[in-house]
Amino acid sequence: MAEHVVIVGAGIVGIACAHYLAESGYAVTVIDQGRIGGGCSHGNNGHICASHVLPLNEPGNLRAALLSLANPRAPFRVKPQWRPDLLRWFYEFARRCNHRHALSAGSAMKSILDASVREYEALFLARGLEAGWQPLGLLYVLRTRHGMERFAAQDAMLRDTFGVGATRLEGSELVEFDPALRPGLAGGFHYEGDAFLRPDALTANWARRLKARGVRFEERRRLQRVEIAGGKVERLVTNAGYETADHYVFALGAWSTQLAADLDCPIPVEPGKGYSVTTTRPRNCPRQALLFAEHRVAVTPFEDGFRLGSMMEFAGYDATTSPRRIRQLADSAKHYLHEPGGDQVLETWSGWRPMTWDSLPLIGRVPGLDNALLATGHHMLGMTMAPATGRLVAEIIGEEATHIDPAPFSPGRFS
């Protein structure tokens, strides 16, 4: 009889874990307090960013966070609040805002990002998974010459240190490259190894395939308590009864920190709130994924829609979707696009990204528990890192040789 794995969390990471565990012959149950593919797996921009090697820990972001305390319109904002956990988080984040950490974290990030892209290519090309996969790269667009100079220095560092480089486009070349862009912009950098997809289509179609293979999904199952005995998880207590298994994977995204007491394990994950607005396709729609670095706005054209997304707010578990923030997305995009959206708004959204203070996810066994693993803390790159995370989880549970080094992602690094 196949060993049974219960996965808590039916976002893209939980779905990916279910896929690779089912491939390895395990019986799999996935439970979620909401619905399959909800949260950030639903409302993100669907960028698959192999180029996003550098951690969030950089002096510029620390300075932006401090300045944002007095600026509610800042795209990277810390809401004034007195929470010891948040103060500790930013203290540890600030300690890592240096070149040495950027190189160390970047090396680990590159390994998992490259592995995920390879897994996605197999899923879409060899297995025919439908999700609007477009391997057209990601174009960073800069409005000012100063922005171009700063980004050029970062691109040179990425190329020299990690072998990740872009094709530089001057302002006069941008309109020819994508006619949806306004004239007069300073230029851009095209990372050809990146891609984009429709995130809600990916989660829905992937889950549908897994159900057909016998994976059981249980929605509206809220985890209330984890019961532990003898160095193992004994069972989960949910609002609909108990769940027992041989192995447990906790992939709760930004909610993961609430497991710290039950698992007796530090899980320093803070919710970093993001926003998006989805409209019908504008008449002059971009051909590919864009990122306006100076305004921190991401753009994704879908076959049947168009999405703007951005913001990073540290405001705790604030579930409101601010109309002002949604307007700010379109206002920022007006500097770059002839049409910053279609005629009809289809959806406005906000959700929490799971942010760790070292910008690396937590993937691996919970210290002191033989049958429990964490798969969380993927910050803004959960959609990108999900396949490699799922494969790594299956390899760890099966005690197999891993396809990437799991050490940088170990939950034990915070103990």
Side-chain angles (χ1 to χ4, degrees):
M1 187 174 182
E3 291 188 347
H4 182 207
V5 183
V6 169
I7 299 168
V8 185
I12 185 60
V13 172
I15 291 170
C17 291
H19 170 87
Y20 289 93
L21 286 164
E23 289 266 293
S24 298
Y26 294 93
V28 180
T29 299
V30 185
I31 67 172
D32 196 281
Q33 65 180 351
R35 58 185 178 82
I36 298 170
C40 279
S41 297
H42 174 80
N44 71 81
N45 273 82
H47 292 181
I48 306 302
C49 304
S51 66
H52 209 109
V53 173
L54 294 179
L56 191 65
N57 307 75
E58 57 179 86
N61 281 334
L62 178 60
R63 181 174 181 272
L66 293 172
L67 292 175
S68 76
L69 291 168
N71 179 14
R73 287 186 58 83
F76 185 102
R77 182 171 190 247
V78 181
K79 181 180 178 181
Q81 55 194 293
W82 180 258
R83 274 198 301 118
D85 287 347
L86 181 63
L87 295 175
R88 169 75 188 285
W89 192 98
F90 269 103
Y91 169 73
E92 297 290 350
F93 176 84
R95 286 182 57 217
R96 291 162 175 80
C97 286
N98 56 65
H99 185 65
R100 181 177 60 82
H101 177 73
L103 295 180
S104 173
S107 178
M109 286 291 292
K110 189 173 190 306
S111 71
I112 193 169
L113 292 172
D114 287 348
S116 267
V117 169
R118 291 192 295 269
E119 294 299 320
Y120 268 129
E121 288 172 347
L123 285 166
F124 294 123
L125 300 179
R127 303 196 176 208
L129 184 62
E130 292 294 331
W133 172 255
Q134 297 288 341
L136 301 178
L138 175 61
L139 177 64
Y140 288 76
V141 183
L142 288 307
R143 188 184 180 200
T144 67
R145 294 310 307 175
H146 176 67
M148 279 291 286
E149 291 168 5
R150 288 188 60 189
F151 201 95
Q154 175 179 299
D155 178 69
M157 193 270 273
L158 285 172
R159 185 185 301 275
D160 295 342
T161 306
F162 301 107
V164 178
T167 299
R168 177 170 176 152
L169 299 171
E170 300 303 330
S172 59
E173 300 174 290
L174 282 179
V175 175
E176 182 177 351
F177 189 84
D178 197 322
L181 292 167
R182 286 182 174 275
L185 298 168
F189 292 82
H190 184 221
Y191 288 90
E192 298 174 13
D194 292 348
F196 64 94
L197 49 76
R198 178 88 191 211
D200 52 352
L202 174 61
T203 55
N205 291 332
W206 206 352
R208 189 178 302 115
R209 286 193 174 199
L210 291 172
K211 288 178 182 178
R213 294 186 54 181
V215 174
R216 181 165 63 96
F217 285 85
E218 297 286 345
E219 298 180 307
R220 311 298 177 188
R221 292 288 300 275
R222 181 180 295 275
L223 177 63
Q224 296 175 333
R225 188 170 71 254
V226 181
E227 295 188 347
I228 294 171
K232 291 186 176 183
V233 173
E234 186 174 52
R235 64 183 182 179
L236 308 180
V237 181
T238 78
N239 63 319
Y242 301 113
E243 286 285 348
T244 60
D246 299 290
H247 308 275
Y248 300 84
V249 179
F250 298 97
L252 281 80
W255 293 101
S256 298
T257 189
Q258 299 183 12
L259 291 171
D262 279 3
L263 300 180
D264 193 23
C265 170
I267 306 176
V269 171
E270 275 290 324
K273 191 175 183 180
Y275 293 84
S276 72
V277 56
T278 306
T279 72
T280 51
R281 283 174 64 93
R283 288 174 293 276
N284 190 358
C285 188
R287 297 172 177 173
Q288 65 163 57
L290 307 171
L291 205 153
F292 306 143
E294 289 162 294
H295 284 83
R296 299 177 186 264
V297 172
V299 177
T300 312
F302 301 133
E303 289 183 5
D304 57 351
F306 175 80
R307 180 168 292 170
L308 299 174
S310 185
M311 311 301 167
M312 176 65 72
E313 288 183 348
F314 287 89
Y317 292 95
D318 174 9
T320 61
T321 301
S322 166
R324 175 179 54 79
R325 284 300 208 179
I326 296 298
R327 289 193 301 271
Q328 188 174 339
L329 289 173
D331 290 342
S332 297
K334 287 176 183 177
H335 296 295
Y336 302 86
L337 297 173
H338 288 289
E339 297 179 70
D343 295 332
Q344 182 181 354
V345 173
L346 303 177
E347 181 183 31
T348 59
W349 172 91
S350 64
W352 301 303
R353 310 176 185 98
M355 310 298 293
T356 60
W357 63 49
D358 63 1
S359 295
L360 295 175
L362 294 90
I363 309 168
R365 294 193 185 277
V366 176
L369 297 177
D370 293 339
N371 65 341
L373 290 87
L374 287 172
T376 186
H378 294 79
H379 55 105
M380 299 171 290
L381 294 170
M383 190 63 57
T384 300
M385 292 191 280
T389 297
R391 181 176 171 185
L392 187 58
V393 163
E395 291 165 344
I396 292 171
I397 288 178
E399 299 183 347
E400 305 170 9
T402 57
H403 71 293
I404 59 174
D405 181 7
F409 315 113
S410 170
R413 71 186 189 272
F414 297 119
S415 297

